Structure formats: C-alpha cells, structure tokens
Amino acid sequence: MPHWSVYTGSNEPHAGIGKLPDPPPWRAFDGAPVVPAPHDADDESAVSPDRVHRARTYVATPESVELVNAALILRRPLLVTGPPGTGKSSLAYAVARELGLGPVLRWNITSRSTLTDGLYRYDPLSRLYAARKDDAYDGVEDHLRLGPLGTALLPYQLPRVLLVDELDKSDLDLPNDLLNVLEEGQYDIPELLRAARQSADEGPTVRVLADGSESPVEIARGRVRCRAFPFVVLTSNGEREFPPAFLRRCVRLRLRRPDRAQLAEIVHAHLDTPAAEADPLIDRFLERAANGDLATDQLLNALYLTGVTGLDAASRGELAERLMPYLDAVADADGL
C-alpha cells in the first residue's frame, strides 16, 4: 500500500482521513464557520442496514483503492463507469464507512434532474400559504431545504461523501452545469440573496435544514462555500459521452466484471455458502456471462435462494438459470 494512501479497501473503520495531505493550492477552500458533523461517525445506527451491509462487504480492487486515494488527495470528483452490478455505488458507502465520514448523501439522477434540484429545494407555495394563514413574519429559509449536493458543500471539518448515481441518465446540460459548482466548491441561493438585499441587517445569517437531517445549519449572506471538499462519486453505466471539460476535472475509474477469484471473495463476504454449493454456480455464472451481460447480484440472489430452498443439485441449477437472465435484450432475443 503506498504511504500516501488514506483509503485502504480493508472495510475496517479507522481515522486515517485525519492524515489526508493538504490539498493542491488550486483546490484549497476556506468556507467558515465549520459546520458540526451531523452525528457520531462511529454510530452506524444512523445508516440503513442494507447500506451498512453494502459497505462492509464491498471488495475493492487495487486500482479502485489507488484512484479513490487520488481523488481524495486532489479534491476531485471520482467518475466511476462500468457495467451494471460491478459495485459502482457501493464504493461510496465503503469509503464513507472505512473513513468514518457519516451517512452517504445520495442524489439519484433522472432525465429531469437539474443542478438546482441537487443544491436546494424551495417551496414558494408553502410560504404563500403560511403568509396568508398567519400575519407573523415567515422567512424564506423556513420553506427551503438543502439538497444532497448543497449539503455536501457545507463547510464541514471533514469531507462528506456524495453519491451522484447514474449521471448518464441526465439531460445534456447537467454535466456542464456541475462544472462551476464542483470547480469553485461554492454556490449561491438566490432566494436568500434577495432576502438579504431587502433586509436592513447587512449579511444576515439564517438557519436552513440540510439533506437527511432535521438539525438546521447556518448560511450567511445566501452563499455556501465548502471547507473540506466532499468526496464525490459520480457513477455512469457508460451509455453516453461526457464533455471533455467535465472529464478533465474528474479522476476516472472504470470497473470491470470480476474474475473468478474476485467472485469467490464477493460471495464469501456476502454469504456463508459452502464451496461445494457456490463453486458450480460461480462457474455457471461465468459461463453465461461470456455470452451476455449479467450482474454480480444475480449470482448472489441465486446462491441465497438455492441455499434456503433445500432443493437437490439439479433443481438448484434450474432455479439458478431462471434467476440469472441476461440484462442485454439482444442476448435474450438470440436465446443465448
């Protein structure tokens, strides 16, 4: 392991993030004051059990460990591409757990996602309704909540982990829209800026709810600037090309289908399945994967279900075949 490594891929939590080298001069940020951590980083009760399991059982490759550390040290987003089922999103949870960075902030991308969706959500209708219902002052901040990207850029002492999942599903403009925010590590909230201009108090500080928390955070003068640049994992299934200006600002990792040794390690991490039962299905999975797209979780599903049903070997094989259909419609149509 290189001496500069912070993330090891061991799945053993440690405080190595505190030894992260200083950022390059062009990636240093100075957001202040420091926002307290959202919870005790060692308390996994704040994280859903399925995500804890994914983090504990993730099997990292040497290449992924090296490039995660490169992204952490350079304070750059990590663009992870690869076929479905290769653990692109699980990588974010594994890094967050090992380095004690708290719950992962997740932004699931659709064709309708915009940059503002990730930064914050403002509900003007609820503010209008509140104003009509009560003559008391009702500030704009009471109807605004930060999104996952907006929360990740708060001035935390340690970086938060942000998962931007399936970026290739976005419209053509979103990657370019992300460029400035990820480059500058800051953003403005126009609704708060307008309120600040209308206020007699210069530069008021307001309290706003953050993503995944009911504890408000302070925002001064309508601007958020990070202190520790978040560890941003952008995932893509490789279904589209991204602009060169976007790509040059990312550290890029391509995950490949696991080989037999890696599959055996993944199965061991997830399931306590005897080798006599696991090996034949692993071999069958690899045989079928040579002719079409399969995801690793299809193998895990087959191993788990055949293990709890008590079927004989022949019946287990038939059931496994049904649980491992090709993800590629062309392969299915050809009867491969």
Side-chain angles (χ1 to χ4, degrees):
M1 189 70 61
H3 71 279
W4 47 267
S5 292
V6 176
Y7 172 63
T8 65
S10 66
N11 291 337
E12 293 296 328
H14 60 83
I17 192 68
K19 301 176 183 177
L20 192 66
D22 291 337
W26 56 90
R27 296 297 292 166
F29 303 97
D30 57 358
V34 176
V35 174
H39 67 90
D40 183 354
D42 294 327
D43 180 14
E44 291 188 340
S45 64
V47 185
S48 62
D50 62 315
R51 295 181 178 182
V52 172
H53 177 78
R54 291 170 65 180
R56 285 176 170 170
T57 57
Y58 183 76
V59 178
T61 65
E63 181 185 17
S64 64
V65 171
E66 183 175 54
L67 292 179
V68 164
N69 281 291
L72 285 167
I73 292 173
L74 295 174
R75 276 67 168 182
R76 290 291 186 184
L78 181 69
L79 176 60
V80 186
T81 60
T86 50
K88 297 186 295 295
S89 59
S90 296
L91 175 60
Y93 294 99
V95 173
R97 180 175 183 271
E98 180 180 320
L99 300 182
L101 299 179
V104 173
L105 298 162
R106 182 165 185 156
W107 184 16
N108 294 311
I109 301 299
T110 71
S111 60
R112 298 181 298 278
S113 298
T114 66
L115 178 63
T116 302
D117 295 333
L119 292 175
Y120 67 94
R121 298 179 294 279
Y122 172 59
D123 187 354
L125 293 180
S126 70
R127 188 185 184 201
L128 179 61
Y129 176 77
R132 289 178 175 176
K133 186 177 180 181
D134 191 346
D135 292 334
Y137 171 74
D138 191 63
V140 62
E141 66 272 13
D142 295 326
H143 307 278
L144 188 149
R145 180 187 282 269
L146 300 184
L149 173 59
T151 299
L153 290 171
L154 288 168
Y156 292 107
Q157 184 68 47
L158 296 177
R160 294 295 301 273
V161 176
L162 171 66
L163 172 61
V164 183
D165 208 20
E166 299 191 315
L167 184 61
D168 46 358
K169 287 185 176 179
S170 71
D171 68 17
L172 294 176
D173 293 330
L174 184 57
N176 279 326
D177 292 342
L178 282 169
L179 281 179
N180 187 59
V181 171
L182 294 179
E183 186 66 16
E184 300 298 327
Q186 68 180 33
Y187 64 96
D188 293 334
I189 301 177
E191 290 82 0
L192 294 181
L193 289 174
R194 285 195 294 270
R197 286 195 293 266
Q198 297 169 1
S199 173
D201 179 15
E202 292 186 5
T205 296
V206 298
R207 294 171 65 80
V208 175
L209 290 177
D211 185 68
S213 173
E214 296 304 319
S215 298
V217 295
E218 292 186 348
I219 296 179
R221 299 180 295 279
R223 171 166 293 177
V224 175
R225 179 170 174 80
C226 73
R227 185 178 184 90
F229 188 77
F231 177 60
V232 182
V233 177
L234 310 157
T235 73
S236 167
N237 291 327
E239 297 175 356
R240 61 177 282 193
E241 295 291 330
F242 295 113
F246 175 80
L247 292 176
R248 76 177 179 85
R249 289 171 169 84
C250 298
V251 174
R252 286 183 277 174
L253 167 64
R254 176 164 182 80
L255 297 180
R256 296 168 177 79
R257 296 287 184 195
D259 57 23
R260 196 188 193 291
Q262 291 172 318
L263 281 175
E265 190 175 356
I266 291 170
V267 169
H268 177 73
H270 284 270
L271 303 169
D272 188 19
T273 304
E277 295 181 14
D279 289 349
L281 286 186
I282 292 176
D283 292 337
R284 183 59 180 144
F285 177 85
L286 290 170
E287 179 184 336
R288 286 177 60 76
N291 296 319
D293 284 337
L294 295 175
T296 305
D297 58 354
Q298 291 175 284
L299 171 62
L300 295 174
N301 290 339
L303 282 166
Y304 179 77
L305 192 55
T306 57
V308 300
T309 52
L311 298 173
D312 57 40
S315 298
R316 284 200 302 270
E318 293 175 2
L319 179 58
E321 288 285 326
R322 297 189 184 97
L323 293 171
M324 294 192 294
Y326 290 109
L327 303 177
D328 187 343
V330 175
D332 279 331
D334 291 342
L336 294 175

